[in-house]
Amino acid sequence: MSDKILFIYDGECPFCNHFAQLLELKSALPEFEILDGRKNLALLSELFNQGYDLNKGAILISNENIRHGADAINWICSQIKEPSDSLIEVLRIIFTSNKRTNFLFPFLLWGRRFLLTLKGKVWQPVSENNQFF
């Protein structure tokens, strides 16, 4: 069983992109890899066909378990023990609570959609068969 953690995010979303970069650089999570879903459409299509839509949140694969959206953010923040960045620490504190994560997550999705619309990027649905990007 692999200890690798794969975090798939939307590279066009400024929030998602910044969060993914912070996680990669400052979270101190072992065996952590980030992938821009828009550049990995074959994998994204496979996950989409299993019911994991990147437009409904980031996708996290760890030890063959798939977490999606609020669950992915909650799980990953709960795994960060000693962040080397104050923003990651704040996010860790906020998103380790399942209740807070589930409450805030719809607002994050709305903000993502708003910013992608401003950038002229399509945010509905993402798969290999629908290459809007």
Side-chain angles (χ1 to χ4, degrees):
M1 191 175 279
S2 172
D3 290 335
K4 184 176 173 180
I5 300 169
L6 180 61
F7 184 74
I8 303 165
Y9 71 104
D10 180 355
E12 287 292 338
C13 170
F15 297 138
C16 308
N17 200 14
H18 190 66
F19 182 67
Q21 288 176 1
L22 278 174
L23 287 175
E24 186 174 46
L25 298 173
K26 304 286 186 172
S27 68
L29 290 171
E31 300 295 321
F32 189 77
E33 182 181 349
I34 63 170
L35 285 179
D36 179 348
R38 292 180 188 245
K39 294 179 181 172
N40 293 279
L41 291 177
L43 174 60
L44 203 59
S45 293
E46 181 182 323
L47 290 166
F48 184 81
N49 291 334
Q50 295 176 38
Y52 303 103
D53 183 355
L54 189 64
N55 291 301
K56 295 180 182 174
I59 302 166
L60 180 77
I61 303 172
S62 173
N63 294 325
E64 300 178 20
N65 293 315
I66 300 175
R67 290 173 177 84
H68 185 225
D71 290 335
I73 302 303
N74 176 258
W75 186 88
I76 204 158
C77 286
S78 71
Q79 298 302 304
I80 300 170
K81 303 301 180 198
E82 296 180 25
S84 61
D85 183 82
S86 57
L87 179 56
I88 286 288
E89 176 65 14
V90 169
L91 293 172
R92 184 189 69 80
I93 290 167
I94 292 169
F95 292 111
T96 53
S97 164
N98 202 18
K99 192 174 186 178
R100 279 191 303 264
T101 303
N102 287 326
F103 175 76
L104 293 171
F105 198 74
F107 296 104
L108 295 175
L109 286 178
W110 181 87
R112 172 187 173 270
R113 290 176 182 162
F114 179 74
L115 287 175
L116 289 176
T117 300
L118 286 178
K119 289 178 74 174
K121 299 291 181 180
V122 176
W123 48 268
Q124 288 278 356
V126 180
S127 74
E128 196 171 50
N129 297 327
N130 296 315
Q131 296 186 23
F132 298 112
F133 320 109

